[in-house]
Amino acid sequence: MTQGLLSVGILMSPVVLFILAYNLPRFRGILLAVGFYMVMTGTFASYSNWLPQVESYPPPVIKMDVGAIDTMPTDKLAEMGETIIFGKVGGFAERGIGKGQCPLCHTFKKGDIGDRAPNLIGLGARAAERIKDPRYIKADFVQTESFKGSGRATTAEEYIAESHSCPACFVVEGFGTKGTNDRDSPMPVIHKPPIGLSIEELIAVDTWLWFREGNTPPTPKEIRAAYEKFIPEADRSKPAAPGAQAAAPAGPPIVLVSDTPDQIVAKMGCFACHQIPGIALAKFGAIGPMLIEGHNAPRRIASAAYQARVKAGMAHAKTPKEYVMESIVNPNAFIVPQFAAKTNPEISPMIQDFATKFTYGGLEKMADYLLQQNCDTAKRDKLPGPPQEPFAEVCGGAAKAVSAP
Amino acid sequence: MKAISKRIRAWSLVSLGAVVTMLVMSLAVPFFTAPVMADEATKAATEAAPKVEMAKDIYFKTEGPVSGNPAPELKATDYPSYNLPYPLSENRILIWSIAQQHLYFGSFVLAVPIFCMIIELVGLLTKDPVMSKKYDDLAHLLVKISLTAYSVTAILGGLLLFSFITLYPDFFKYISSLFRPVMHIYALLFLAESGTLYLYYYGWDRMTHGFAKWVHACMGVLLNVFGSVLMMLANSWASFMMSPAGVDEKGRYLGNIWAILHNALWNPLNVHRIIGNMVFGGGIVAAYAAYKFLAAKTLEEKAYYDWMGYIAMFMAVGSLIPLPFAGYWLMREVYGFRQQMGITLMGGLLAWLFIIQAVLIGALFFSTNYYLFNGMERMRGAEKYQKYIKYILFLTTAAFLVWLTPHTLVMRPAELKAIGGQQHPVIGNFGVMSAKNGAVNTMIMTTIISFLLYQRSNKIVVVKWEAWGNAALMAMFTVALVNNWWLAIYGYFIPANVRVGLSVPQVIGTLTTLFIGSAINIAMMRGSKLTGPIEWGKISVRSQYALFSLAVSFTWLMALMGYIRSSVRLFWHVMEVFRDNSPWAFTHTIGFAANMMSVNVMAFWLFVLFVFWLGELTSKHAVAEARKEAARPAMAGGSE
């Protein structure tokens, strides 16, 4: 909205210049010229702001581990594959584009013409035929093995795996890189940058490719074996251990000053523990206090417990805003007694590394937002508060509780 | 007189030979040095064979000794930033603004010497001493203007360097580790260019006649050689970030600097930028002339700046015509390098930006045609051609509408549902490349027709073969247009990989009308009777706003295309090799980008105003004499 206003502002500001030009004949020429430039620039900017506005973020990392993949029901695995290809479950129907970027070149529906890469409908049956193709058997491509000693595909699934990990090992006629006489492929190696899918993600993708046409996909173990045949050990991304953090975050989850409070809450996962008025996502958290800091922060600072922490040199806030900011970046400074862990009361159960995830501007923005929340906003949103510190206890009276999902 | 004429011709040939030789040499130098450097690298690798690890070039697929560190894997905290208010809190916004201003001024100071070189040469070859001086003075004035801009470019370059070092230290360290020798050569070339520029400028009044004047003209050539090579070296950094080569998958340098320089997009970018700079430079000079025209108090002044504006517009548009073809080559190479990169540009996330580009290119063609239509007003006898304007306008508008129709778009689900797919069932048909090629070639051809009519405006053809000449021109344009439209339609019925090839006969048709058409037209004008002189200065005020429109559209277009080229890397500093893990590794909305471009464009023009004002302080006297000759009658078409 603001950015749209800026462009309209640029477009409208020449009016002032034209009025000045009318009244200041000595500077008329320069004012009219500058005004004209601003009209042109403002027109281009306004037109650009009128077009659909889309922000694009780096692809999210999908956490998967070996055990989960192998035991996951086929339909769930296929859904994951659809998400990787089309961006979300249901993305196939909407022709979305996901982390795998496949729909940029491939088509998937009957009748769709694939200009740049083959239509993938009927892939399972066709894959089995491809490996019998004389062009496949007597390969004359820039690459004939995925890596030295990998061998060639002997099954349909192996053919699919080989196509992903060594696109130049077989090029469908008419789809080669221009000027190579179909000896080289324009397709990127899918397990390497820029797409860089892990074997686990590729298993999900292949499962969807089989599953969506009603075929029974090979098991995850079989698909894994196919990929391991064509992707050397050194090139495989290591699967995350169960419960571990993703090894390489796709995009750093940093809170910027440009983020809205909703975005900050979503990025940092605050909703998992806290209820926050005005944030649609944060209605059910019951691990931490309800964040109505306009009401809570002054009370907390004045409390004997907090002052004791100040005396001990552990807490330092003097104003509500300082208190909120301190609570985010240094959650151990003061733990609201009802929420302290019984086993380790000195360490807050809250995430400890927000200090490295918030920019100063982002932190200030979030603090300001939380300080605007009070009993009235909580009541408006009918937040019940967590059991340790319910709404009635904090604000008196009771907000009509929403039912937990 | 004859002796002088012969001598001038001889020197013309020598000078032209020097131009060609030096430009070719500048391009060829790296070809000669490359194998040497590669050999040295290999030799070094062989000597230390037991210890040297070999790796495969990510692009050329050749093996080379690992000679550098891998690209760093950064964390968000590795990007030091100022806690400035949004959007300045993003380091890249600062870099974006500074780099944009540096590129604007860099383009200007690279383009102006090219114009000076050409105009000085035209002046030397012009037999009429009055016109010869007029051209010479114009070239002198231009180089004077560019002198201040040159200093601003250097200052902005320094600012950009410091910004990289302080805001993206790891990125800069990595890039400079790869381009180390190139950066030193760049600095030395900058020194050489500066020296030549000062000699060129300060020697102007001392080297005015005979051999000394030709030496001076050759200095202009040398200046452009230095400038062009300088630009190519800087281009290699940008193109490397888009299409890395000479490193392995981990980003480790493989000992061959030529492989790094000669990456997939380097040459297309070089050609595109040289031509683009010329359009841009022409646009700025045209805007300068337009402003001076509007501010002029006397007819003499108006005549001079009208003429100057025409020459600048002519050069800008002359360069604009091949620009889409250079752009097409660049885009083809982008697709060749990474297909999905091309689709992200033309059919994915960035596709809407190309719609904006279409609008801007449309504005350029409309402005040019409008200026030419207005220009006819200063010639008696042009009335007979004015009836064709409406047809030219109709064709240009129709082509423009096809040109800006999108094909595949990023849309919200509701929009997708409303349209019934990613392509609109009816107008979506105009969105494919086949239609676009037809449309842009049509726009170029209508502009060529406008120019040919402009050339004829104040003349009565007297050659005996007039009817044949006209018939040949008519036939040529008809065949070229029909061929262009037929191929555009035929393109719908054949696969994409075959369709790409159709652009060649389309382009040949357009270029034929440009070169052969102009040649026939000029031949027909030989000995023609003038219905009246070109009354320089007697052009509408509106026409000067068309020149402003040309300048601002191109400035905006340059900002847009720079943004597109850079943002296609998405979340990579160096595509597929060095990931951008900064907190700002996302792509902003079009609106945000457009606002940034607008601010950059306005900031640049304010800078330009300042530079022109500075130039004005010292140039008043120099121009005064030239102005006196300006109202002198001349033929249309810029030939005299």
Side-chain angles (χ1 to χ4, degrees):
Chain A
M1 185 63 185
T2 317
Q3 78 188 30
L5 284 176
L6 177 64
S7 62
V8 175
I10 297 172
L11 183 61
M12 299 309 291
S13 56
V15 173
V16 179
L17 291 172
F18 293 149
I19 292 169
L20 281 172
Y22 182 76
N23 289 300
L24 299 170
R26 197 178 162 198
F27 301 104
R28 187 167 291 162
I30 189 76
L31 289 170
L32 286 176
V34 173
F36 181 78
Y37 270 70
M38 292 189 76
V39 168
M40 294 279 298
T41 306
T43 305
F44 295 141
S46 301
Y47 173 66
S48 307
N49 274 281
W50 173 72
L51 296 172
Q53 303 295 313
V54 180
E55 271 183 353
S56 165
Y57 287 85
V61 167
I62 299 169
K63 290 184 199 171
M64 281 188 277
D65 60 73
V66 179
I69 286 289
D70 290 348
T71 56
M72 196 177 274
T74 305
D75 58 336
K76 291 289 169 202
L77 199 51
E79 280 182 1
M80 191 173 281
E82 188 181 4
T83 305
I84 293 166
I85 299 171
F86 299 105
K88 64 179 181 180
V89 177
F92 170 56
E94 293 180 10
R95 297 171 190 261
I97 296 172
K99 181 184 176 185
Q101 300 184 23
C102 324
L104 282 178
C105 302
H106 288 284
T107 47
F108 293 83
K109 292 183 178 175
K110 196 176 179 182
D112 282 357
I113 298 167
D115 274 351
R116 306 188 181 282
N119 186 327
L120 295 182
I121 197 155
L123 178 64
R126 205 163 57 245
E129 293 303 312
R130 291 275 195 235
I131 52 178
K132 297 173 196 162
D133 189 325
R135 285 182 71 241
Y136 186 86
I137 296 164
K138 292 183 179 177
D140 179 26
F141 305 106
V142 292
Q143 207 173 342
T144 49
E145 276 188 315
S146 183
F147 62 91
K148 203 173 177 184
S150 69
R152 303 301 310 265
T154 53
T155 65
E157 177 49 42
E158 281 190 4
Y159 172 80
I160 297 171
E162 188 185 45
S163 301
H164 278 146
S165 48
C166 178
C169 286
F170 177 77
V171 183
V172 177
E173 275 182 299
F175 291 104
T177 302
K178 194 173 159 51
T180 65
N181 200 22
D182 291 337
R183 292 186 68 249
D184 197 2
S185 171
M187 178 168 159
V189 176
I190 303 299
H191 64 273
K192 290 184 177 177
I195 296 173
L197 297 188
S198 67
I199 289 183
E200 285 67 36
E201 288 168 320
L202 285 161
I203 291 171
V205 166
D206 289 9
T207 301
W208 183 84
L209 288 171
W210 290 94
F211 185 77
R212 62 120 176 188
E213 291 188 70
N215 298 318
T216 306
T219 64
K221 279 185 182 171
E222 287 167 338
I223 302 177
R224 182 188 306 283
Y227 277 102
E228 285 178 351
K229 178 173 176 177
F230 297 112
I231 301 177
E233 178 79 37
D235 287 355
R236 295 175 204 160
S237 63
K238 303 289 176 283
Q245 291 281 327
I254 291 292
V255 172
L256 305 170
V257 73
S258 55
D259 290 333
T260 62
D262 293 78
Q263 287 171 326
I264 297 173
V265 169
K267 271 186 180 180
M268 297 294 108
C270 321
F271 60 89
C273 302
H274 298 282
Q275 294 170 29
I276 310 171
I279 308 285
L281 205 59
K283 301 283 185 211
F284 309 107
I287 296 170
M290 179 163 63
L291 299 181
I292 45 174
E293 295 312 298
H295 177 78
N296 280 346
R299 290 193 314 132
R300 305 270 197 233
I301 292 175
S303 70
Y306 187 83
Q307 289 307 321
R309 297 292 286 176
V310 172
K311 271 192 180 173
M314 305 299 284
H316 304 90
K318 292 189 174 101
T319 65
K321 191 167 178 176
E322 285 176 5
Y323 171 81
V324 176
M325 290 166 86
E326 180 185 69
S327 302
I328 295 172
V329 299
N330 182 12
N332 301 335
F334 172 68
I335 304 167
V336 178
Q338 297 94 309
F339 296 91
K342 285 176 185 165
T343 49
N344 194 354
E346 285 299 306
I347 303 295
S348 166
M350 192 166 148
I351 293 169
Q352 299 284 323
D353 66 345
F354 282 143
T356 61
K357 291 182 174 176
F358 275 79
T359 58
Y360 184 79
L363 181 64
E364 201 169 34
K365 190 169 190 175
M366 193 65 213
D368 286 341
Y369 177 80
L370 294 178
L371 286 165
Q372 287 164 16
Q373 309 313 315
N374 50 39
C375 292
D376 292 339
T377 55
K379 194 172 181 181
R380 182 197 63 206
D381 284 5
K382 298 170 184 169
L383 298 180
Q388 303 91 318
E389 194 180 49
F391 177 88
E393 187 182 295
V394 180
C395 299
K400 193 181 173 186
V402 289
S403 57
Chain B
M1 277 303 274
K2 274 189 177 178
I4 292 167
S5 175
K6 272 185 183 176
R7 205 171 66 197
I8 286 173
R9 272 190 205 140
W11 278 111
S12 309
L13 288 173
V14 170
S15 178
L16 281 173
V19 173
V20 174
T21 312
M22 299 210 68
L23 284 173
V24 170
M25 268 175 64
S26 69
L27 289 171
V29 165
F31 286 96
F32 292 118
T33 54
V36 177
M37 287 171 152
D39 287 349
E40 282 170 0
T42 316
K43 197 179 163 192
T46 316
E47 283 167 3
K51 289 178 186 174
V52 172
E53 183 188 350
M54 301 296 281
K56 194 180 263 188
D57 189 312
I58 194 171
Y59 176 66
F60 291 110
K61 309 293 180 196
T62 50
E63 287 228 321
V66 173
S67 314
N69 293 324
E73 290 178 20
L74 303 180
K75 300 186 294 297
T77 47
D78 292 328
Y79 297 85
S81 68
Y82 299 108
N83 276 321
L84 296 172
Y86 176 78
L88 298 177
S89 52
E90 295 183 9
N91 285 1
R92 60 177 169 168
I93 298 295
L94 298 172
I95 294 282
W96 184 353
S97 296
I98 298 164
Q100 185 67 70
Q101 297 305 323
H102 178 58
L103 278 170
Y104 276 146
F105 275 95
S107 300
F108 180 58
V109 298
L110 285 174
V112 168
I114 297 177
F115 292 154
C116 290
M117 179 184 78
I118 295 170
I119 294 171
E120 188 183 13
L121 207 62
V122 170
L124 269 167
L125 298 178
T126 302
K127 291 172 188 169
D128 180 345
V130 177
M131 283 308 294
S132 175
K133 184 161 182 346
K134 192 174 168 183
Y135 281 119
D136 200 64
D137 285 345
L138 177 62
H140 195 185
L141 173 66
L142 291 181
V143 80
K144 177 175 258 182
I145 292 169
S146 79
L147 216 58
T148 318
Y150 194 77
S151 310
V152 177
T153 310
I155 293 164
L156 287 167
L159 189 60
L160 182 62
L161 176 67
F162 292 136
S163 303
F164 270 125
I165 292 170
T166 51
L167 299 177
Y168 287 89
D170 294 292
F171 166 78
F172 189 76
K173 188 178 170 190
Y174 174 68
I175 288 290
S176 55
S177 73
L178 297 176
F179 285 95
R180 195 170 44 216
V182 177
M183 286 180 171
H184 277 113
I185 294 169
Y186 181 88
L188 290 173
L189 272 171
F190 188 75
L191 203 65
E193 196 197 5
S194 308
T196 315
L197 178 65
Y198 288 120
L199 276 176
Y200 186 59
Y201 175 67
Y202 289 110
W204 206 293
D205 290 331
R206 286 168 181 263
M207 304 164 86
T208 50
H209 293 95
F211 182 72
K213 184 64 182 165
W214 283 100
V215 170
H216 186 263
C218 288
M219 261 184 338
V221 176
L222 193 65
L223 178 64
N224 281 295
V225 171
F226 286 141
S228 300
V229 177
L230 199 71
M231 185 203 65
M232 288 180 198
L233 295 184
N235 286 349
S236 68
W237 308 332
S239 59
F240 173 81
M241 287 167 70
M242 288 175 79
S243 57
V247 294
D248 70 356
E249 284 177 350
K250 294 174 183 167
R252 296 180 298 182
Y253 176 47
L254 298 181
N256 184 353
I257 189 70
W258 174 238
I260 288 191
L261 276 173
H262 189 239
N263 54 68
L265 301 181
W266 188 45
N267 275 330
L269 196 62
N270 287 337
V271 172
H272 196 255
R273 272 192 169 168
I274 285 179
I275 299 173
N277 288 350
M278 288 175 71
V279 185
F280 182 64
I284 294 177
V285 175
Y288 171 77
Y291 176 70
K292 296 294 290 180
F293 176 91
L294 293 175
K297 298 278 188 290
T298 64
L299 185 61
E300 259 186 357
E301 275 184 304
K302 278 187 186 292
Y304 179 75
Y305 289 112
D306 182 15
W307 174 75
M308 186 178 175
Y310 171 77
I311 297 285
M313 187 284 307
F314 180 75
M315 288 191 156
V317 175
S319 312
L320 175 66
I321 286 171
L323 193 59
F325 306 124
Y328 189 82
W329 180 35
L330 175 60
M331 202 49 66
R332 205 183 71 164
E333 294 303 314
V334 167
Y335 271 90
F337 174 71
R338 286 293 178 272
Q339 190 158 271
Q340 77 267 32
M341 195 191 231
I343 298 170
T344 300
L345 283 168
M346 304 293 285
L349 179 68
L350 305 176
W352 274 113
L353 296 168
F354 277 87
I355 305 303
I356 303 170
Q357 182 218 28
V359 172
L360 290 162
I361 289 179
L364 290 176
F365 280 109
F366 278 118
S367 303
T368 305
N369 281 293
Y370 185 72
Y371 178 81
L372 289 172
F373 297 156
N374 272 272
M376 287 179 178
E377 287 173 8
R378 62 188 165 206
M379 290 181 271
R380 282 179 207 157
E383 301 80 15
K384 60 182 179 287
Y385 294 114
Q386 284 180 345
K387 62 187 173 197
Y388 299 116
I389 289 175
K390 55 182 174 289
Y391 302 114
I392 293 172
L393 190 62
F394 172 77
L395 271 180
T396 311
T397 308
F400 172 66
L401 290 174
V402 172
W403 173 241
L404 65 76
T405 304
H407 178 227
T408 314
L409 297 167
V410 176
M411 283 184 276
R412 298 187 190 103
E415 290 164 340
L416 254 173
K417 201 176 166 188
I419 287 180
Q422 281 189 317
Q423 286 102 41
H424 189 277
V426 180
I427 60 168
N429 291 320
F430 297 130
V432 296
M433 209 58 216
S434 198
K436 305 261 180 261
N437 279 343
V440 75
N441 279 290
T442 304
M443 281 198 285
I444 294 172
M445 278 192 266
T446 53
T447 308
I448 295 168
I449 293 171
S450 290
F451 186 70
L452 296 189
L453 295 183
Y454 178 87
Q455 276 188 314
R456 286 173 163 227
S457 285
N458 64 337
K459 299 178 193 83
I460 297 170
V461 180
V462 294
V463 290
K464 288 177 184 171
W465 47 279
E466 180 192 357
W468 285 105
N470 284 335
L473 282 173
M474 286 284 283
M476 186 184 297
F477 275 99
T478 309
V479 169
L481 281 167
V482 169
N483 171 62
N484 176 43
W485 295 334
W486 152 245
L487 290 175
I489 295 165
Y490 178 59
Y492 283 88
F493 301 98
I494 53 175
N497 51 348
V498 183
R499 188 191 308 142
V500 170
L502 294 185
S503 60
V504 177
Q506 284 176 308
V507 169
I508 288 172
T510 306
L511 293 181
T512 305
T513 59
L514 173 63
F515 293 116
I516 310 287
S518 299
I520 293 175
N521 207 43
I522 289 167
M524 286 178 76
M525 296 303 111
R526 279 196 159 183
S528 58
K529 287 182 188 167
L530 290 177
T531 53
I534 300 177
E535 296 179 73
W536 293 112
K538 290 185 180 174
I539 191 170
S540 68
V541 167
R542 296 188 307 278
S543 65
Q544 303 305 302
Y545 282 89
L547 293 182
F548 283 154
S549 166
L550 199 71
V552 77
S553 301
F554 200 79
T555 318
W556 223 90
L557 184 63
M558 211 165 140
L560 177 78
M561 299 318 288
Y563 171 70
I564 291 175
R565 189 193 51 69
S566 191
S567 61
V568 74
R569 285 181 284 109
L570 300 175
F571 49 94
W572 297 94
H573 287 310
V574 178
M575 196 70 193
E576 302 172 11
V577 167
F578 185 179
R579 190 171 172 129
D580 180 354
N581 277 328
S582 70
W584 324 283
F586 63 95
T587 308
H588 273 295
T589 59
I590 298 171
F592 179 92
N595 290 346
M596 272 298 296
M597 291 169 210
S598 297
V599 170
N600 280 332
V601 166
M602 288 189 295
F604 169 70
W605 280 102
L606 287 176
F607 260 131
V608 167
L609 266 179
F610 172 70
V611 167
F612 283 165
W613 175 73
L614 276 183
E616 194 66 4
L617 291 179
T618 49
S619 66
K620 278 182 182 167
H621 177 72
V623 176
E625 282 194 15
R627 280 182 196 152
K628 286 178 189 167
E629 305 299 336
R632 193 171 177 278
M635 287 174 71
S639 55
E640 263 187 70

